[in-house]
Amino acid sequence: MTGAIVPPGHTFPEARTAPELFEATAAAVPDRQAVAMGATTLTYAELNAEANRLARELVAHGVGPERLVALAMPRSVELVVAILAVLKAGGAYVPVDPEYPEERRRYMLDDASAQCLLSLPGQDVAGAPVVLAVRREAGRSEPNLADGDRLGPLHPAHPAYVIYTSGSTGRPKGVVVTHRGIPNLAADYVRRQRLGPDSRLLAFASPSFDAAVAEFWPIWMAGGCLVLAPTSDLVPGEPLARLVRDQHITHVTLPPSALAPLEESDGLPAGLTLLVAGEACPAPVAKRWAMDRVMINAYGPTEATVAVTASDPLDGEGTPPIGRPVTGVRAYVLDERLRAVPDGDVGELYMAGPGVARGYLRRAALTAEKFLPDPFGAPGERMYRTGDRVRARSDGQLVFVGRADDQLKVRGHRIEPGEVEAALLAVDGVAQAVVVAHDNRLVAYVVGTAGTRVPAEHLLPPLRERLPSYLVPDLVVGLPRLPTSPNGKVDRTALPAPDGQDVERATAGRAPRTPTEIHLAALFAEVLGVSSVGVDDSFFEIGGHSLLATRLVARIRASLHVRLRVQAFFNAPSVAQLALVLDGALT
């Protein structure tokens, strides 16, 4: 076969399940740290024993192969114990972020129909037949579970986890991922990042996203330590840089957009291994951060076990490629008739190999649309259609060109605009809505009934009740009508840039009064790209996020000549609250 079909790397020698990978390391280095969060640490032997105890309890509650367990837990050592325990019991875990709106959490729990739900003691959660609180019981050993201890034998083809991603139909969809791709991914990342027993890898990704899988298993396969931290310590900029230094982090994975705020702090130490993923990496970012570090650009969808390609170490020259297939993955660059395009031509990227997911949970039609028979593989093998357009360079590495559909990437999150548009159309008074990405922000263009304007303060509260924060538009643009192409479809390319008077965010009523409030309100509006803000508006409730917060803090420091920590802003996120903090510092 010729043309843009990139051969796979070597395949992991044994098809093993995720629990077996961890148990092999626990047997080899039982006394080394496996996980750390602040002063709390567990060795491999301790973590293994904790997970074994909980796994037996789960089996007693009917958890086994093909059964799902929801995890409604924040970042914590207990969450790590719970993930391992579910897998050891033979089940598959479904992370449900406790910070998601209640409507979304209930939808995910109802859709998953989990056998039970795990939480922390004292958490108020509901929506599953059985709710178990994860309590640690250090000091008592417990042997590993064998197939005879489970409700049935555990095979690599059984589900390991279900991750919910944005859905074009207006509802999130669960991606069912098996154990088969985890050993290959872990083995590839151990080799590619040179992970070892002395490595300390920071768990930056939210456990609700599959990127966490690429953090947990490689470091555990290498016998190193997974370092957890509260979300407030992971804010790009000063908090993240300080955490990396204080915790002696050797490896970290970040979206490229998280690197910009680090320019305003002490940055990341030289010698760090930095893997960027989740969104396109601009050439200037690679040029700046590849210096004195091992920097790798990785790419992959949830539907193919996190990562399917990764670059050679970047040299900072030119547009960073997304690289070659990771271990066990086959990459096809095909035209609309599923024929391999010539090397150097642009085509759509399809992925095949053991990491390809089973499909979408109880969505047979959608699964058949995206997971196709592999014309280049063995009978019965399937390939996943990514929707991404790429081309192969002369050295065999792939370069991302763009999307073949309307899917968006904003701040590392994969977003189906149809889901956000459906939520907007459900709001009274909205006749039409289109959602696009602009300057790494989510922008909603809205037309009211009879061409009227729908105020942002009317739109955003119901959206926050239904959507997680990363799906709530950063900007709302009111239009009398949407531009259309000659065939009558919305012409997204003709939408006006979101920089006019029709751009707004939700605002509160009270105006600034003191000199400090007036100055801060102007800076808030400048960073958010709006005409004004109310003094009682929380920065994070009117479209702000951690990256913009770091930018705002830098502007405040420069203009008011004050020492302001990002964490202090998180504790006082409105103009009025922050003015009190700064007036105290200025007096």
Side-chain angles (χ1 to χ4, degrees):
M1 181 63 62
T2 60
I5 296 181
V6 185
H10 67 279
T11 302
F12 192 72
E14 298 178 43
R16 298 197 291 179
T17 62
E20 288 176 315
L21 289 180
F22 184 85
E23 289 161 6
T25 303
V29 290
D31 298 327
R32 296 198 69 90
Q33 282 190 8
V35 62
M37 185 170 187
T40 302
T41 63
L42 289 180
T43 66
Y44 277 91
E46 291 169 337
L47 178 53
N48 197 47
E50 294 274 0
N52 284 338
R53 282 192 289 276
L54 180 57
R56 294 181 187 278
E57 186 175 354
L58 290 171
V59 171
H61 281 86
V63 175
E66 303 294 336
R67 301 292 177 88
L68 305 184
V69 177
L71 307 181
M73 304 169 67
R75 296 172 186 268
S76 59
V77 172
E78 289 77 9
L79 174 62
V80 173
V81 172
I83 288 173
L84 272 172
V86 172
L87 295 171
K88 282 171 170 282
Y93 65 92
V94 186
V96 180
D97 193 330
E99 299 301 317
Y100 280 172
E102 181 179 357
E103 180 179 339
R104 191 177 186 86
R105 284 187 279 118
R106 288 191 175 277
Y107 169 80
M108 292 170 65
L109 292 172
D110 290 343
D111 187 68
S113 299
Q115 183 76 16
C116 63
L117 183 147
L118 296 182
S119 68
L120 292 179
Q123 267 190 284
D124 182 18
V125 291
V130 179
V131 179
L132 299 177
V134 179
R135 295 178 172 86
R136 293 183 47 228
E137 301 177 27
R140 188 160 56 90
S141 63
E142 189 77 39
N144 295 328
L145 280 72
D147 281 342
D149 301 311
R150 304 185 180 102
L151 298 181
L154 177 60
H155 298 295
H158 281 135
Y161 58 88
V162 175
I163 298 288
Y164 276 81
T165 65
S166 182
S168 59
T169 60
R171 289 291 189 177
K173 55 187 182 296
V175 183
V176 183
V177 183
T178 70
H179 291 254
R180 295 180 65 223
I182 294 176
N184 282 325
L185 173 67
D188 184 279
Y189 269 32
V190 168
R191 173 185 57 80
R192 192 179 299 272
Q193 299 186 66
R194 298 183 181 178
L195 291 165
D198 294 327
S199 300
R200 292 175 62 82
L201 188 147
L202 179 63
F204 179 84
S206 166
S208 296
F209 295 96
D210 67 318
V213 174
E215 294 173 335
F216 286 27
W217 296 102
I219 191 66
W220 285 340
M221 190 178 195
C225 182
L226 178 73
V227 180
L228 305 176
T231 303
S232 58
D233 290 347
L234 297 171
V235 177
E238 180 186 349
L240 178 59
R242 183 172 61 250
L243 175 67
V244 169
R245 293 192 303 270
D246 292 349
Q247 291 296 322
H248 307 290
I249 300 300
T250 61
H251 295 74
V252 64
T253 298
L254 298 172
S257 57
L259 293 170
L262 290 164
E263 299 278 8
E264 297 162 359
S265 67
D266 290 339
L268 298 175
L272 184 77
T273 296
L274 172 63
L275 191 145
V276 291
E279 60 195 20
C281 181
V285 173
K287 186 176 183 63
R288 163 66 180 86
W289 292 100
M291 185 182 304
D292 300 325
R293 299 171 192 85
V294 176
M295 185 176 184
I296 298 168
N297 189 29
Y299 158 88
T302 303
E303 290 85 347
T305 315
V306 191
V308 292
T309 66
S311 72
D312 298 338
L314 300 178
D315 57 13
E317 299 298 325
T319 300
I322 60 174
R324 301 180 180 86
V326 302
T327 300
V329 172
R330 300 189 301 276
Y332 307 144
V333 186
L334 309 179
D335 63 16
E336 65 279 359
R337 297 178 64 182
L338 301 185
R339 298 174 302 186
V341 304
D343 289 333
D345 283 8
V346 174
E348 188 171 347
L349 182 60
Y350 291 75
M351 313 307 304
V356 172
R358 179 181 291 183
Y360 300 110
L361 185 65
R362 287 187 284 277
R363 303 276 187 93
L366 183 59
T367 297
E369 177 185 334
K370 300 290 286 185
F371 295 84
L372 307 177
D374 181 359
F376 313 107
E381 287 192 305
R382 298 174 308 145
M383 61 181 184
Y384 171 68
R385 180 181 185 181
T386 68
D388 288 323
R389 291 169 57 78
V390 301
R391 63 175 177 84
R393 298 194 325 189
S394 58
D395 64 355
Q397 296 196 81
L398 299 174
V399 176
F400 175 77
V401 175
R403 287 291 299 176
D405 56 21
D406 295 330
Q407 190 183 94
L408 309 173
K409 274 291 188 74
V410 178
R411 298 186 295 275
H413 297 294
R414 189 175 73 174
I415 295 172
E416 293 286 358
E419 181 172 0
V420 186
E421 291 164 2
L424 285 164
L425 292 171
V427 179
D428 289 341
V430 176
Q432 293 177 288
V434 173
V435 175
V436 301
H438 183 84
D439 289 341
N440 212 24
R441 291 188 289 183
L442 199 61
V443 183
Y445 292 84
V446 177
V447 177
T449 52
T452 59
R453 187 181 68 85
V454 184
E457 58 265 27
H458 176 67
L459 286 171
L460 298 184
L463 293 186
R464 295 192 188 105
E465 293 178 359
R466 181 173 180 178
L467 301 173
S469 59
Y470 70 91
L471 288 179
V472 176
D474 298 307
L475 300 175
V476 175
V477 182
L479 295 178
R481 68 187 65 83
L482 295 177
T484 57
S485 60
N487 62 8
K489 294 184 178 181
V490 174
D491 186 357
R492 295 172 184 265
T493 63
L495 291 167
D499 55 8
Q501 293 185 349
D502 289 328
V503 179
E504 59 174 332
R505 296 175 186 264
T507 58
R510 202 157 64 87
R513 297 167 297 178
T514 69
T516 304
E517 285 184 349
I518 292 171
H519 195 100
L520 288 176
L523 292 177
F524 271 53
E526 174 190 327
V527 170
L528 291 171
V530 295
S531 57
S532 64
V533 298
V535 298
D536 299 309
D537 294 329
S538 170
F539 180 81
F540 301 102
E541 292 183 359
I542 57 175
H545 50 78
S546 59
L547 300 184
L548 288 179
T550 306
R551 188 179 306 167
L552 175 61
V553 169
R555 294 284 292 112
I556 293 171
R557 289 171 181 162
S559 60
L560 291 178
H561 306 290
V562 296
R563 293 180 62 86
L564 175 65
R565 299 173 69 92
V566 174
Q567 184 58 50
F569 174 67
F570 271 77
N571 294 332
S574 72
V575 168
Q577 292 170 325
L578 192 58
L580 292 175
V581 173
L582 294 183
D583 284 340
L586 293 170
T587 56

